[in-house]
Amino acid sequence: MTDLSQLPLITNPLESTSRLQLLVLSNGHGEDIIAVRILEQLQRLSSPPDIFALPIVGEGRAYQQLNVPCIAAVQTMPSGGFIYMDSRQLMRDVRGGLVQLTWKQIQAIRCWVNCQTKLGNKKAILAVGDIVPLLFAAMSGANYAFVGTAKSEYYVRDEDGLLTRRSKLVRWENFSGSIYHPWERWLMSRRRCRGVFPRDSLTTEILKKWPIRAFDLGNPMMDGLEPMLTNSKFYSADAEQEEIVRPLIVTLLPGSRANEAYANWEMIMTAVSGLITDCQERDMVFLGAITPGLDGDILSQTLQIQGWHRCPESPIQLADPDYLTFKQKNNYVILTQKAYGDCLHLGDLAIAMAGTATEQFIGLGKPAIAIPGKGPQYNPAFAEAQSRLLGSSLILVEQPIKVTQVVQSLLKNPDLFNEIAENGVQRMGKPGAAKRIAECLQARLG
């Protein structure tokens, strides 16, 4: 268990103040990052609130960069938060103290609200994630707002209507006319819920059928992805000819959870080996976007086993002085743990076994090919659900050897890239959502 409550406080929580006191609840690493993006924009506004946090899942390290204090001790569960598609992970968390931790978190929220009430301070709660932080916010007695990151109507429908599904069990997802169930909509429709921010326009449109204050302001997941450095050696002044002869750039996204990511990386590199064997008419550059928590030596060992050799020169310069370059014939693999935005923007397509990273890549208007792994996160159930969420932009294959066929098909159909580009932006939204949500929160809660 980690206690982040010793971080420097923005203000003394036991003092009376005219500023809004805002408590942020989030339940996952990705949700923490989305919350932080919104908080960064809130802090830039005139009369920003005093901000506190309670990460419900994990240690909430993303909040440290803003010096946002946590109101209670935090703890990482054995599952890492991936319990929704695997009951075994839930039982591991229960044995690891999930029930006790949840009760302590509810008590901490109530204590914080009561303290602010006694001091006469204006207070509110921002819930980021799914029904868990939303429920905690509703139980607090304070006004609240909800950023819904986990659910989208695209899981069950598109603009043309409901998706065709084989299993009768999946009707449960939309039994009441929305991906959000009646009890979730009830929490969103309460008088104290001052604003709901769905992740896309379609979900907002559906929620507005009920008395819910839903605002279509975009998805903060697409903020902060700007490339830092994208100079490359193989570009020439002749853009048309350059496009014909330049290497194909493929971004590799193995995920962030250590043991799972290493297994995913082996599957991805099997797909890469098939690509360079079957597509010898075109050189390729593979950009491995690796999270800082992964061990680069383990990933490098997989490359060397499959015939890649360290190379002192790179065809692409990234904003990472420590990136590693490997070469096999005229093809390159570049591993970076610091140039994530560059990897997303430079890639023509991706081989992906990740959650958030896959969605962000597709949100930039590019296709991704996904290989279901063994989980606990990127398993077949998760990948299938993600394919519904992202539509034509995400192409599922059962085995790594199938990736080559999909890539060849994409390259023979350039018009499909235009369709995929439009689809990705439509489903993930344009950058700037965090600022728009922050401005709305100030008006609704302040």
Side-chain angles (χ1 to χ4, degrees):
M1 182 177 290
T2 302
D3 189 354
L4 301 182
S5 60
Q6 300 304 313
L7 288 171
L9 296 183
I10 300 172
T11 186
N12 188 335
L14 300 180
E15 288 182 352
S16 178
T17 175
S18 61
R19 294 187 297 273
L20 172 68
Q21 305 297 294
L22 181 66
L23 174 60
V24 184
L25 310 177
S26 53
N27 65 328
H29 175 68
E31 289 79 3
D32 296 345
I33 293 174
I34 289 173
V36 165
R37 287 178 181 149
I38 296 171
L39 298 184
E40 286 176 326
Q41 297 300 323
L42 272 172
Q43 291 181 338
R44 295 174 185 175
L45 300 177
S46 60
S47 302
D50 295 328
I51 303 171
F52 304 85
L54 179 56
I56 297 171
V57 174
E59 298 182 357
R61 297 190 180 277
Y63 292 107
Q64 293 186 41
Q65 62 185 283
L66 298 184
N67 283 341
V68 171
C70 292
I71 65 169
V74 295
Q75 181 178 349
T76 298
M77 289 287 101
S79 73
F82 304 120
I83 64 176
Y84 299 107
M85 293 184 181
D86 191 338
S87 58
R88 293 172 297 179
Q89 298 295 330
L90 175 59
M91 293 309 300
R92 288 179 63 199
D93 283 3
V94 170
R95 290 192 294 268
L98 176 63
V99 175
Q100 296 90 330
L101 177 65
T102 300
W103 176 241
K104 289 179 181 178
Q105 290 170 338
I106 293 173
Q107 288 180 311
I109 295 168
R110 288 176 173 173
C111 181
W112 183 87
V113 171
N114 290 337
C115 177
Q116 302 301 336
T117 300
K118 290 178 181 178
L119 292 170
N121 292 336
K122 191 170 186 179
K123 74 277 183 186
I125 293 180
L126 174 62
V128 181
D130 57 21
I131 190 174
V132 177
L134 175 60
L135 178 61
F136 284 11
M139 293 170 59
S140 71
N143 289 342
Y144 58 96
F146 175 53
V147 179
T149 65
K151 286 194 172 185
S152 167
E153 288 296 329
Y154 283 114
Y155 282 118
V156 296
R157 73 180 78 232
D158 57 21
E159 284 74 13
D160 296 326
L162 291 174
L163 303 178
T164 302
R165 307 285 298 283
R166 294 180 180 178
S167 173
K168 294 181 180 180
L169 293 177
V170 299
R171 295 177 183 175
W172 167 255
E173 292 180 294
N174 187 59
F175 79 97
S176 64
S178 170
I179 189 71
Y180 280 105
H181 298 319
W183 47 91
E184 295 170 306
R185 300 198 301 266
W186 183 83
L187 294 172
M188 288 186 274
S189 64
R190 296 301 85 199
R191 178 183 57 83
R192 288 186 291 104
C193 185
R194 310 299 296 177
V196 173
F197 306 95
R199 54 178 291 156
D200 52 65
S201 300
L202 181 61
T203 307
T204 306
E205 178 185 343
I206 296 297
L207 285 179
K208 284 185 175 180
K209 294 180 179 180
W210 292 274
I212 295 172
R213 303 176 184 89
F215 298 88
D216 182 18
L217 301 182
N219 189 343
M221 194 183 294
M222 295 310 300
D223 291 347
L225 301 178
E226 296 78 11
M228 294 182 288
L229 178 67
T230 57
N231 295 330
S232 50
K233 292 183 178 180
F234 49 74
Y235 287 115
S236 66
D238 189 338
E240 185 175 349
Q241 182 62 25
E242 163 212 284
E243 187 63 25
I244 296 174
V245 302
R246 73 168 178 86
L248 179 71
I249 305 178
V250 181
T251 300
L252 309 178
L253 302 171
S256 60
R257 185 182 172 92
N259 291 334
E260 179 179 359
Y262 300 140
N264 291 348
W265 181 249
E266 292 183 1
M267 294 181 67
I268 288 173
M269 290 313 303
T270 299
V272 167
S273 295
L275 264 178
I276 62 176
T277 298
D278 297 335
C279 302
Q280 298 185 25
E281 68 278 2
R282 187 166 187 179
D283 297 338
M284 300 184 191
V285 176
F286 300 91
L287 301 179
I290 310 303
T291 59
L294 297 181
D295 188 335
D297 291 339
I298 296 177
L299 303 173
S300 298
Q301 185 177 12
T302 299
L303 288 169
Q304 291 166 353
I305 290 174
Q306 296 195 12
W308 296 86
H309 304 283
R310 284 289 303 274
C311 176
E313 296 184 354
S314 173
I316 298 177
Q317 300 303 311
L318 302 176
D320 175 6
D322 301 316
Y323 71 82
L324 302 178
T325 303
F326 297 80
K327 187 175 183 180
Q328 187 175 138
K329 297 181 180 179
N330 292 324
N331 306 292
Y332 294 85
V333 172
I334 303 174
L335 298 184
T336 174
Q337 294 181 301
K338 299 176 183 177
Y340 177 67
D342 289 353
C343 290
L344 296 189
H345 281 271
L346 282 171
D348 297 305
L349 55 91
I351 303 175
M353 300 180 70
T356 298
T358 302
E359 294 172 27
Q360 290 173 325
F361 186 86
I362 281 174
L364 294 175
K366 304 176 182 186
I369 305 168
I371 313 166
K374 296 181 180 180
Q377 182 191 20
Y378 212 81
N379 53 37
F382 184 98
E384 189 276 333
Q386 190 181 53
S387 71
R388 285 184 275 121
L389 172 68
L390 300 173
S392 60
S393 298
L394 184 66
I395 305 165
L396 287 184
V397 297
E398 295 181 358
Q399 300 292 336
I401 58 174
K402 300 290 187 179
V403 169
T404 298
Q405 180 180 350
V406 175
V407 172
Q408 291 173 332
S409 177
L410 285 170
L411 295 179
K412 292 177 181 177
N413 188 3
D415 290 341
L416 185 57
F417 278 87
N418 294 329
E419 176 188 325
I420 287 172
E422 294 177 2
N423 177 73
V425 174
Q426 183 176 24
R427 298 198 178 216
M428 293 299 300
K430 297 179 180 179
K435 181 179 180 180
R436 295 188 290 268
I437 292 174
E439 292 171 342
C440 187
L441 286 172
Q442 186 182 57
R444 302 290 301 175
L445 299 176

